[in-house]
Amino acid sequence: MILFDLVQASPVQIPDLTRCQVASASSDRGPPVTLYFNCCLPITGPIVDFSFEKYKPISKHIRRPAHTASDEYIAKYIKAYELMRALPDTDPRSLKVQANLHCSFCNGGYLQAGVTGDIPLQVHFSWLFLPWHRWYLYFHERILGSLIGDPGFSLLYWNWDDQVYGGNQLPQMFTRVNTSLYDEKRRVAVQRPTIVPLAASTPLNLNDSIVINQNLNNLYQAIVTASTATLFMGGELRAGDDLRNSTVMKNRLGGSLENGLHTAVHYYVGDPRTQLLQNMGNFGTASRDPIFYSHHTNVDRLWDVWRFSMPDGERSNHDDPDFLNAEFVFYDENANMVRVTVRDVLEHQKLGVYYEKGGSDDLWISYSPPARTNQSAVPVAVAAGVQYVREAPLNGIISIGTSFSAIVKRPSEKKQSKTLEVLNIQGVQVVRDEFVALAAFVNIPWAGASTATDSVEYLGTFNIVPSTDKSKHLKVNVKYEIGDNLKRIGISEEEEVVISLVVTGDSNAVTIQGVKIDYEDQEIDYEDQ
């Protein structure tokens, strides 16, 4: 077990809100374009500390699937957002400022506090992602309820994981033109009745049954097999950690829910007629679209499903003090600035928030992905000249192109009972001026853009949303549990396997530094890289 120097580490703190920067995003495609975002937040007074007593819920907030909402509730929802949109842009409760909350902490609007150097505060690509967004939804919901005088008002979740009852389509209530829920900057091709794919490599013109099967496998691989907090929630990010200057051994690690399913939905809803996939496809603009909040409500619900509804029993969040004590700031329904911590948001029932069970959760939870192969592809790969790739830094910089295959050695020691076999794609570097998706496969050396993601050979997809110049050159490690896949294929006794990576988007933008397969303790909550 690795020992961590917790003395030198510290939790992320609330930034100095008087030191706001203009955020930007750039694209080099066609005529160069730079978008600037003034996401600076209004300072409304002294910051108050959250307490469960101070914010004791008057009634339960029961969040239900959006596609099952009654006309009466939809009318209430529309009214709430009408009132939010009508508030002055300087009002912290307005949709303008609510959107700026996401922009400011996701697009480099503020710098980390209490650290040396100018390091942007980023709440994506790490263990901060899920708790930050849960707090965001909590206060957003309270504001909407306050505006319509309904303390029990609850956000609806876009049930895009539902592959049976229509939740996998854009909810009809958000497609009503000239209402407060409509956003004209959405991809036309994903309007109802199109099924939204959950992997950004899936074409939109496929038969519905094909998309559904691929969606089921994406859900299974991203949630069911990602059984540790690090794999599912993401790895550590402590005060002073800089996404721009990480090393291969200490790269940031986003979780499977964020990297795959969450970001694929952002991509498909974003409008390709705009620069950088506004609104939903860009961090700087995503939360301008009301569908953002229902999308993230489902992301939050799936965190709960991952914890309590998996076949292997209850799972655990991170328990590192620097995770639990990380601080954020939000506005409440009275426009007060509120200091919150991660530890207070881990049990949403304590906040008065409950989820109605998804109609088809059991289908993807119990999904059994089919195997397209039944023997090792290593001999075929060797004959075709596929290279061996070792762990970083033994390979230098490897350009992926549109597709790349490598033969990778598995651990020589015997697997212990309470460990997972994990694939680590090391030092993935992306120039974030366009959306990029990196799909990973095992035992398919010929994998390419047309390779389906409905079989057990598919490991998952790492999706990258375009971002600002300040964090344009993102370097991360990407991890997938691989033992379940090898067992289902029937190659769990092989000493070597073929790993293939397929790029959708800018094929010149992705490089890696190594590929490693290792065992990781199922119980450990610290990132072992």
Side-chain angles (χ1 to χ4, degrees):
M1 178 180 295
I2 289 182
L3 298 178
F4 295 85
D5 186 1
L6 297 181
V7 175
Q8 298 300 320
S10 60
V12 169
Q13 302 172 37
I14 294 174
D16 181 351
L17 298 178
T18 66
R19 296 183 62 201
C20 183
Q21 309 177 116
V22 174
S24 66
S26 300
S27 173
D28 299 327
R29 305 307 175 80
V33 172
T34 298
L35 305 177
Y36 294 97
F37 308 113
N38 182 358
C39 305
C40 298
L41 301 174
I43 300 175
T44 60
I47 297 175
V48 301
D49 289 323
F50 173 87
S51 73
F52 288 106
E53 182 61 31
K54 187 181 300 182
Y55 289 89
K56 188 174 182 179
I58 297 174
S59 58
K60 288 185 177 181
H61 298 269
I62 302 176
R63 298 173 178 174
R64 298 179 171 88
H67 68 283
T68 67
S70 67
D71 289 341
E72 180 182 7
Y73 200 80
I74 292 172
K76 179 186 293 189
Y77 221 81
I78 291 172
K79 183 63 176 179
Y81 274 99
E82 279 180 359
L83 294 173
M84 179 175 275
R85 286 184 182 274
L87 292 171
D89 286 350
T90 55
D91 191 317
R93 304 168 301 160
S94 68
L95 187 60
K96 172 72 172 178
V97 176
Q98 289 292 295
N100 282 347
L101 275 165
H102 190 263
C103 173
S104 62
F105 296 124
C106 306
N107 263 58
Y110 289 99
L111 302 175
Q112 289 189 31
V115 302
T116 302
D118 293 340
I119 303 175
L121 177 56
Q122 171 59 266
V123 297
H124 289 79
F125 313 119
S126 75
W127 62 16
L128 299 181
F129 170 76
L130 286 171
W132 187 91
H133 284 83
R134 176 170 284 180
W135 274 124
Y136 188 24
L137 297 172
Y138 169 75
F139 285 108
H140 189 78
E141 182 176 71
R142 289 181 70 102
I143 292 170
L144 289 169
S146 175
L147 291 173
I148 60 173
D150 180 1
F153 176 85
S154 303
L155 290 169
L156 298 171
Y157 65 86
W158 177 9
N159 195 190
W160 37 255
D161 57 301
D162 165 32
Q163 306 302 312
V164 179
Y165 304 109
N168 52 6
Q169 301 173 21
L170 194 69
Q172 188 273 337
M173 61 186 286
F174 290 93
T175 66
R176 299 183 182 184
V177 181
N178 297 324
T179 72
S180 61
L181 303 183
Y182 182 75
D183 191 314
E184 63 180 13
K185 292 182 179 179
R186 292 181 188 150
R187 189 185 299 262
V188 174
V190 296
Q191 299 299 317
R192 296 175 65 86
T194 301
I195 294 175
V196 176
L198 298 180
S201 56
T202 303
L204 283 169
N205 59 355
L206 297 179
N207 180 275
D208 284 358
S209 64
I210 296 175
V211 178
I212 287 172
N213 283 329
Q214 295 197 30
N215 283 352
L216 290 172
N217 195 35
N218 271 275
L219 289 157
Y220 177 80
Q221 300 295 346
I223 302 176
V224 181
T225 68
S227 59
T228 68
T230 295
L231 289 175
F232 179 76
M233 301 176 67
E236 64 190 61
L237 191 142
R238 309 178 195 276
D241 288 343
D242 192 344
L243 285 169
R244 304 165 303 172
N245 299 314
S246 57
T247 65
V248 172
M249 296 305 294
K250 199 60 179 176
N251 281 339
R252 298 306 98 212
L253 178 71
S256 59
L257 179 60
E258 177 190 0
N259 288 347
L261 306 171
H262 151 263
T263 307
V265 175
H266 272 283
Y267 167 72
Y268 279 114
V269 180
D271 189 348
R273 299 170 298 181
T274 67
Q275 292 96 5
L276 302 182
L277 291 177
Q278 300 175 69
N279 275 328
M280 272 283 282
N282 186 289
F283 283 158
T285 60
S287 47
R288 298 177 184 178
D289 186 342
I291 195 68
F292 170 96
Y293 303 95
S294 284
H295 166 45
H296 269 274
T297 303
N298 197 45
V299 171
D300 187 68
R301 181 186 73 89
L302 291 175
W303 179 12
D304 195 56
V305 173
W306 172 83
R307 282 198 66 194
F308 299 110
S309 300
M310 293 295 102
D312 55 350
E314 182 176 340
R315 293 173 173 178
S316 299
N317 292 320
H318 291 283
D319 60 3
D320 185 314
D322 288 342
F323 170 71
L324 299 174
N325 295 323
E327 295 180 346
F328 312 127
V329 63
F330 293 95
Y331 299 102
D332 69 10
E333 64 273 21
N334 297 312
N336 296 315
M337 304 188 81
V338 186
R339 183 196 322 272
V340 299
T341 63
V342 167
R343 68 169 64 251
D344 285 338
V345 82
L346 297 179
E347 306 295 338
H348 58 76
Q349 296 89 342
K350 291 183 179 180
L351 301 172
V353 173
Y354 298 83
Y355 283 102
E356 184 178 281
K357 180 178 170 60
S360 64
D361 288 359
D362 293 339
L363 183 61
W364 59 261
I365 290 173
S366 60
Y367 185 67
S368 181
R372 297 191 181 278
T373 59
N374 58 15
Q375 59 184 1
S376 173
V378 170
V380 174
V382 170
V386 173
Q387 63 184 304
Y388 282 80
V389 171
R390 296 173 291 175
E391 64 181 283
L394 302 175
N395 311 282
I397 305 297
I398 302 171
S399 179
I400 297 301
T402 57
S403 61
F404 174 82
S405 292
I407 302 171
V408 181
K409 291 186 178 295
R410 297 174 65 204
S412 57
E413 66 271 22
K414 184 178 179 180
K415 180 180 179 297
Q416 301 299 310
S417 60
K418 290 187 177 182
T419 59
L420 297 175
E421 187 166 0
V422 175
L423 172 71
N424 186 355
I425 307 168
Q426 298 175 305
V428 178
Q429 184 154 339
V430 183
V431 179
R432 303 172 65 194
D433 59 2
E434 293 289 338
F435 184 92
V436 177
L438 179 66
F441 298 86
V442 62
N443 212 46
I444 305 183
W446 53 89
S450 61
T451 303
T453 60
D454 61 348
S455 72
V456 73
E457 286 81 4
Y458 169 73
L459 300 174
T461 298
F462 176 51
N463 298 308
I464 302 296
V465 174
S467 190
T468 68
D469 290 336
K470 299 180 184 66
S471 56
K472 185 174 180 179
H473 296 275
L474 176 70
K475 186 190 291 181
V476 297
N477 288 344
V478 180
K479 290 186 177 184
Y480 300 107
E481 198 281 331
I482 195 174
D484 179 73
N485 306 75
L486 301 182
K487 182 178 180 180
R488 289 176 180 271
I489 295 169
I491 57 173
S492 57
E493 300 301 318
E494 299 292 331
E495 297 180 355
E496 304 166 341
V497 295
V498 179
I499 300 297
S500 297
L501 306 176
V502 179
V503 175
T504 300
D506 182 5
S507 61
N508 296 315
V510 183
T511 60
I512 66 172
Q513 295 186 37
V515 182
K516 179 183 179 182
I517 298 175
D518 208 349
Y519 299 134
E520 293 191 4
D521 194 322
Q522 288 179 297
E523 305 298 326
I524 194 167
D525 284 336
Y526 297 96
E527 184 180 354
D528 178 0
Q529 298 193 77

